[in-house]
Amino acid sequence: MISLDSIQEAHNRIRPYIHRTPVLTNQTINDRTGAELFFKCENFQKIGAFKARGGLNAILQVAANQEGKAITTHSSGNHAQAVAFAARQVGLPAYIVMPRTAPQVKKEAVLGYGAEVIECEPTLEAREQGVRDVIARTGAVLVHPFDDERVIAGQATATIELIEDAGTPRPFDTIMAPVGGGGLLSGTSLTTHYLSPETRVIAAEPEGAADAILSFRSGCVEKAPYIKTIADGLMTTLSERTLAIIREHVADILTVSDEEITAAMRLVWERMKLIIEPSSAVPLAAILKNKDQFAGQKIGIIVTGGNVDLGKLPF
Amino acid sequence: MISLDSIQEAHNRIRPYIHRTPVLTNQTINDRTGAELFFKCENFQKIGAFKARGGLNAILQVAANQEGKAITTHSSGNHAQAVAFAARQVGLPAYIVMPRTAPQVKKEAVLGYGAEVIECEPTLEAREQGVRDVIARTGAVLVHPFDDERVIAGQATATIELIEDAGTPRPFDTIMAPVGGGGLLSGTSLTTHYLSPETRVIAAEPEGAADAILSFRSGCVEKAPYIKTIADGLMTTLSERTLAIIREHVADILTVSDEEITAAMRLVWERMKLIIEPSSAVPLAAILKNKDQFAGQKIGIIVTGGNVDLGKLPF
């Protein structure tokens, strides 16, 4: 189990490399929801997303323990940038396996951090084979995007800061995070359990990638009935590890449609002047959809990132 | 002349009604410019722009001194919202004369603050006649968007916060603001003169509304050779009042093209995850265009606002 100590050690380990991102509020959105919302702005984090935390916590330890001569992962999203960024901090080469269909802007971001991009076919099999090839060739260590205790402990540090900066004197009634593979959600729920046990953790998930809610109910890692959502960071299924933590420490999972996600994203852009990616808008969409459930509550929201393609906006 | 005392009094007067907006930095943009930039984020200000400061400072005094039973102004932009917002704070009715061609979203924002919108033809004559009609009908007091010492003192307060939060231990080499009517620029230059006299103030202006640079050189209020710019907040000419302050306390005015403004705006959106309006990108565009002049400098930039129409983005 991931202890409070290991999360606090992660925070101390990564602190020199990350931003302490601000916690922002907005009167209009409070009025519109009937709740008091505190947005932990990880869109301002290094690489534009909370994933920098988990990548750093894992890779700083790989380097300190001399576990390998290089780092590898497969990702088409923010984890690719997080690994490339973290590997550069410790001076290790990084080999990122990316589907050839990934946006050019994301490949360029990874290259910009000095990593090597290995293109593969856009299937999970091809991605995993690509990583095996890299390991055989270079002796690299795999840093999985979420099925890794060090990554989870790193993601858990955002909630330390949220609670320190806005969780007093009145504690949060609820802390919310979106759920994809569950690395952020399980970390968020662990930190909340340790530091603010009176607070409920509630997750939010797109209807078009509704696997976590099924797994949460059945206790087995389930696949989504279908995958079709604007929230491109949330398409992954849980792992056994993240599901176990989530079943123990998360109170509920709510689902929202792409229309509701887009409306919530637009509300944050227009009223808070923050660029957030669709995945980041999923918790607010769930609050707007379930106002009665959240009325009068003090709610913390992890805003996961701000990496969007400005040429392909949904509005 | 507007004294330091009057600016500090303005700050104390408006403080309960405004946000103390953050000063943000970005490593990528520092690397790209070769300078150290500090962005004073007035896009996070009430009504989404610094104009809340000047409107409040004027209207709080109108109310305290019982100078009138209502407030009026003509504006198609952020000043309209600022006056509507400030009037509501003091419980005075506001009558905002807006050209019928103003975007519906801006009219709705003004209506949302409880003000009455009076539509007129999109000419300066029609706007001024509309205000005269309101005054005759209601006894309202006009709050001009920039040609007003109380408004200028209000706008000047953003620079107090910028200097307090980021102007030590090393003072700014340069503080930059865009220039339209000159209310913000004259206030910025006065505060800098009083609180950080070693700092130069440099303004930036669109090529497609290049009146201030002509006025700055000739000493008379000049019109722009032509008006065509994406920076819709900067189309106004100076007044005698703002020109006099600017000629005394501003070191230089630089001009940039709409292409340069759009590129700078996109850079801030993509790298800082901040929604800023085109006018706000004009100073950064000037730095990117004149890198040699600014290399190695510590520079404060007033980010004026974040009110953009998401349906009409230039990228």
Side-chain angles (χ1 to χ4, degrees):
Chain A
M1 199 49 170
I2 299 167
S3 65
L4 177 59
D5 274 357
S6 68
I7 296 171
Q8 287 172 329
E9 284 164 16
H11 201 211
N12 292 332
R13 185 178 293 118
I14 69 177
R15 203 192 307 262
Y17 303 92
I18 62 167
H19 293 302
R20 187 172 185 110
T21 56
V23 177
L24 300 181
T25 62
N26 185 270
Q27 192 56 51
T28 302
I29 297 179
N30 285 351
D31 292 345
R32 188 129 3 146
T33 58
E36 193 182 7
L37 308 186
F38 294 81
F39 295 85
K40 173 66 174 167
C41 290
E42 288 289 293
N43 56 327
F44 291 150
Q45 191 49 271
K46 290 283 183 186
I47 73 118
F50 76 90
K51 297 254 181 186
R53 295 175 183 267
L56 277 165
N57 190 45
I59 290 167
L60 289 170
Q61 290 177 79
V62 169
N65 303 337
Q66 298 188 306
E67 293 173 30
K69 293 172 291 184
I71 309 289
T72 186
T73 198
H74 60 86
S75 166
S76 60
N78 290 331
H79 182 64
Q81 289 185 63
V83 167
F85 165 75
R88 188 165 75 167
Q89 304 306 311
V90 299
L92 286 177
Y95 302 94
I96 314 293
V97 178
M98 300 183 80
R100 61 173 170 71
T101 51
Q104 189 60 27
V105 60
K106 300 221 169 182
K107 292 179 192 163
E108 280 167 14
V110 170
L111 294 168
Y113 290 117
E116 185 175 314
V117 171
I118 294 107
E119 294 202 353
C120 70
E121 291 303 302
T123 66
L124 184 59
E125 293 69 25
R127 287 162 60 148
E128 291 178 343
Q129 184 59 48
V131 163
R132 282 193 294 271
D133 292 347
V134 167
I135 292 171
R137 176 161 63 89
T138 67
V141 173
L142 170 65
V143 175
H144 191 277
F146 57 87
D147 190 31
D148 179 317
E149 291 203 350
R150 302 196 281 204
V151 170
I152 293 170
Q155 320 302 32
T157 61
T159 303
I160 295 181
E161 298 172 12
L162 172 62
I163 291 172
E164 283 181 355
D165 290 353
T168 54
R170 178 183 164 195
F172 289 110
D173 298 296
T174 302
I175 290 179
M176 298 190 71
V179 56
L184 174 68
L185 178 59
S186 51
T188 301
S189 70
L190 285 168
T191 299
T192 305
H193 165 69
Y194 292 131
L195 298 182
S196 188
E198 62 274 67
T199 303
R200 283 158 53 99
V201 172
I202 295 183
E205 182 173 45
E207 288 173 1
D211 59 285
I213 190 168
L214 298 180
S215 308
F216 185 68
R217 287 175 183 162
S218 75
C220 303
V221 174
E222 310 274 0
K223 287 189 177 173
Y226 66 98
I227 300 280
K228 183 175 186 307
T229 176
I230 190 176
D232 56 354
L234 305 179
M235 293 177 176
T236 325
T237 56
L238 302 178
S239 68
E240 297 288 347
R241 188 192 317 267
T242 55
L243 175 58
I245 300 169
I246 288 165
R247 286 201 96 201
E248 187 165 355
H249 297 297
V250 172
D252 201 2
I253 298 179
L254 304 173
T255 61
V256 286
S257 70
D258 271 17
E259 290 69 29
E260 290 159 344
I261 295 167
T262 302
M265 176 175 161
R266 183 168 189 146
L267 184 63
V268 170
W269 282 47
E270 288 188 337
R271 303 308 304 220
M272 299 189 74
K273 314 302 178 188
L274 294 177
I275 292 184
I276 66 169
E277 56 195 45
S279 303
S280 299
V282 175
L284 176 59
I287 295 169
L288 288 163
K289 186 178 187 173
N290 301 280
K291 282 185 196 172
D292 289 350
Q293 177 177 343
F294 294 105
Q297 288 197 13
K298 175 175 175 175
I299 305 173
I301 297 174
I302 311 289
V303 175
T304 50
N307 292 329
V308 292
D309 184 343
L310 293 179
K312 290 184 184 171
L313 297 180
F315 35 72
Chain B
M1 201 47 169
I2 298 167
S3 66
L4 177 59
D5 273 357
S6 67
I7 296 172
Q8 287 172 329
E9 283 164 16
H11 201 212
N12 292 333
R13 185 178 293 119
I14 69 176
R15 204 192 308 262
Y17 303 91
I18 63 167
H19 294 301
R20 188 172 184 110
T21 57
V23 177
L24 300 181
T25 62
N26 184 270
Q27 192 57 51
T28 303
I29 297 179
N30 285 350
D31 292 346
R32 189 132 357 148
T33 57
E36 191 182 6
L37 308 187
F38 295 81
F39 295 84
K40 173 64 173 168
C41 289
E42 289 288 295
N43 56 327
F44 291 151
Q45 191 48 268
K46 290 283 181 184
I47 72 118
F50 75 90
K51 297 254 182 186
R53 296 175 183 268
L56 277 165
N57 190 46
I59 291 166
L60 288 170
Q61 290 177 80
V62 169
N65 302 337
Q66 299 188 305
E67 293 173 28
K69 294 172 289 184
I71 309 289
T72 187
T73 199
H74 61 85
S75 166
S76 59
N78 290 331
H79 181 64
Q81 287 185 65
V83 166
F85 165 75
R88 187 164 75 167
Q89 303 306 310
V90 298
L92 286 177
Y95 303 93
I96 314 294
V97 178
M98 299 184 80
R100 61 174 171 71
T101 51
Q104 189 60 29
V105 60
K106 300 221 168 181
K107 292 177 192 163
E108 281 166 13
V110 169
L111 293 169
Y113 291 116
E116 184 177 316
V117 171
I118 293 107
E119 293 202 353
C120 71
E121 292 302 301
T123 65
L124 184 59
E125 290 70 27
R127 289 162 60 150
E128 292 179 342
Q129 184 61 48
V131 163
R132 280 192 296 270
D133 292 347
V134 167
I135 291 171
R137 175 162 64 88
T138 68
V141 173
L142 169 65
V143 175
H144 191 277
F146 57 87
D147 191 32
D148 178 317
E149 291 203 350
R150 301 195 283 202
V151 170
I152 293 170
Q155 320 302 32
T157 61
T159 302
I160 294 180
E161 298 172 12
L162 172 63
I163 291 171
E164 283 182 354
D165 291 352
T168 54
R170 178 183 163 197
F172 289 111
D173 298 297
T174 302
I175 290 179
M176 297 188 72
V179 56
L184 174 68
L185 178 58
S186 51
T188 301
S189 70
L190 284 169
T191 300
T192 305
H193 165 71
Y194 291 130
L195 297 183
S196 187
E198 61 274 66
T199 303
R200 283 157 54 99
V201 172
I202 295 182
E205 182 173 44
E207 288 173 1
D211 58 286
I213 190 168
L214 298 181
S215 307
F216 185 68
R217 287 177 183 160
S218 75
C220 304
V221 174
E222 310 274 359
K223 288 189 177 172
Y226 66 98
I227 301 280
K228 184 176 188 305
T229 176
I230 190 177
D232 56 356
L234 305 180
M235 293 176 174
T236 325
T237 56
L238 302 178
S239 69
E240 296 288 347
R241 188 191 317 267
T242 56
L243 175 59
I245 300 168
I246 289 166
R247 287 201 95 199
E248 185 165 356
H249 295 297
V250 172
D252 201 2
I253 299 178
L254 304 172
T255 61
V256 287
S257 71
D258 270 18
E259 292 68 31
E260 290 158 343
I261 295 168
T262 302
M265 177 176 162
R266 183 167 191 147
L267 185 64
V268 170
W269 283 47
E270 288 189 337
R271 304 308 305 219
M272 298 189 75
K273 315 300 179 189
L274 294 177
I275 293 184
I276 66 169
E277 55 196 45
S279 303
S280 298
V282 174
L284 176 59
I287 294 170
L288 287 163
K289 186 179 187 173
N290 300 279
K291 282 186 196 170
D292 289 350
Q293 176 178 343
F294 293 105
Q297 287 197 15
K298 175 175 176 177
I299 306 173
I301 297 174
I302 311 289
V303 175
T304 49
N307 292 329
V308 292
D309 183 344
L310 293 178
K312 290 185 184 171
L313 297 179
F315 35 73

